[in-house]
Amino acid sequence: MSKNKPMTNYDEYRLNDDKHWEWHTTFIGRLMQHNYRVYHILDGVFKIAPNLGAIVEIGTGCGALTTYLGLWGLHLNIPVLTVDNVRSTDTDAFLQRLGVTVLDGDVFSTEVYRKIKEFVGQRPVFLLCDGGAKQREFDTWARLLVSGSFIAAHDLGHEFSVENISEWTRTLVTPVMEERWNEMNAQIAIFKVN
Ligand SMILES: C[S@@+](CC[C@H](N)C(=O)[O-])C[C@H]1O[C@@H](n2cnc3c(N)ncnc32)[C@H](O)[C@@H]1O
């Protein structure tokens, strides 16, 4: 790669050295739209969040991260919901066997918004923003989650930045484990809801 040419997203995804881990490998046969370090970092969140009542993922994609979250749901004995506006029958059948509730639709539609809100209820949750508009997802949901919840956004530095969180939302959340957000090119920002 030329020294003068800035790295594209894809160049960064492909990096595999002692500071960056490669993206787009597989987990239980599912294409990962992230890298393995995300699992280790999120394990750290679940360790400091013993009272979670549910897990929500916006953006199922190929379902690798949903599989990981589904396993955490089983481990903690809490329900897991994932939403995407493009669904795959094969992925959904597998996720449902894992006990994950699968929602089909636009996360910003009134109906899906209402269903997620109903699912979340008044319990503290872990919610991951990994759909098509992570910044907007973050601003929308950070305002609705109860204190003690955790909210994370993937693709930090590419599709999500702390600078772009609205002023009001920033007062509602506190960054956690910030030193790990870009560990091995994981690109995950994590906050606790105040
Ligand atoms: C980056 S992928 C998710 C990757 C997945 N979380 C993972 O890491 O394995 C983003 C997904 O968001 C979905 N998406 C985009 N816009 C959406 C919307 N408005 N509502 C629901 N899902 C949406 C896309 O269909 C795509 O599958």
Side-chain angles (χ1 to χ4, degrees):
M1 204 180 312
S2 152
K3 268 189 181 168
N4 303 323
K5 214 171 143 204
M7 274 198 296
T8 63
N9 254 1
Y10 190 69
D11 292 333
E12 252 186 81
Y13 290 163
R14 299 303 301 174
L15 284 174
N16 192 2
D17 54 31
D18 61 356
K19 292 191 187 63
H20 307 76
W21 274 4
E22 191 179 337
W23 285 41
H24 298 151
T25 53
T26 57
F27 180 63
I28 326 282
R30 287 180 192 274
L31 181 76
M32 291 166 59
Q33 294 155 291
H34 47 271
N35 72 21
Y36 276 105
R37 198 63 175 187
V38 169
Y39 302 158
H40 190 36
I41 296 168
L42 292 184
D43 275 5
V45 176
F46 291 118
K47 271 188 207 142
I48 59 166
N51 298 321
L52 288 180
I55 296 171
V56 177
E57 177 191 40
I58 299 172
T60 313
C62 302
L65 200 48
T66 326
T67 303
Y68 162 86
L69 295 172
L71 291 170
W72 262 105
L74 286 177
H75 182 63
L76 297 174
N77 198 23
I78 59 174
V80 180
L81 178 148
T82 187
V83 58
D84 205 300
N85 58 358
V86 180
R87 301 239 54 106
S88 135
T89 316
D90 164 61
T91 303
D92 287 358
F94 170 75
L95 294 176
Q96 280 158 350
R97 280 202 296 278
L98 201 56
V100 175
T101 299
V102 165
L103 271 190
D104 182 7
D106 178 355
V107 72
F108 297 112
S109 69
T110 313
E111 198 195 341
V112 171
Y113 176 83
R114 183 185 54 75
K115 282 184 181 164
I116 298 177
K117 209 164 167 250
E118 208 173 277
F119 176 83
V120 168
Q122 287 307 304
R123 53 193 174 188
V125 301
F126 172 78
L127 186 144
L128 175 69
C129 304
D130 201 14
K134 294 156 180 80
Q135 210 78 47
R136 184 176 165 203
E137 292 156 19
F138 190 92
D139 265 341
T140 304
W141 290 99
R143 296 170 187 201
L144 289 157
L145 301 182
V146 301
S147 173
S149 296
F150 286 78
I151 181 163
H154 196 220
D155 295 286
L156 173 69
H158 297 281
E159 295 177 36
F160 179 86
S161 85
V162 176
E163 287 71 37
N164 291 336
I165 299 174
S166 78
E167 240 175 83
W168 183 36
T169 304
R170 258 192 247 193
T171 65
L172 304 175
V173 295
T174 304
V176 290
M177 296 165 43
E178 209 169 345
E179 71 289 352
R180 299 198 62 190
W181 290 3
N182 255 324
E183 206 174 84
M184 308 301 256
N185 196 27
Q187 301 177 17
I188 182 117
I190 308 156
F191 301 78
K192 190 169 183 180
V193 177
N194 301 329

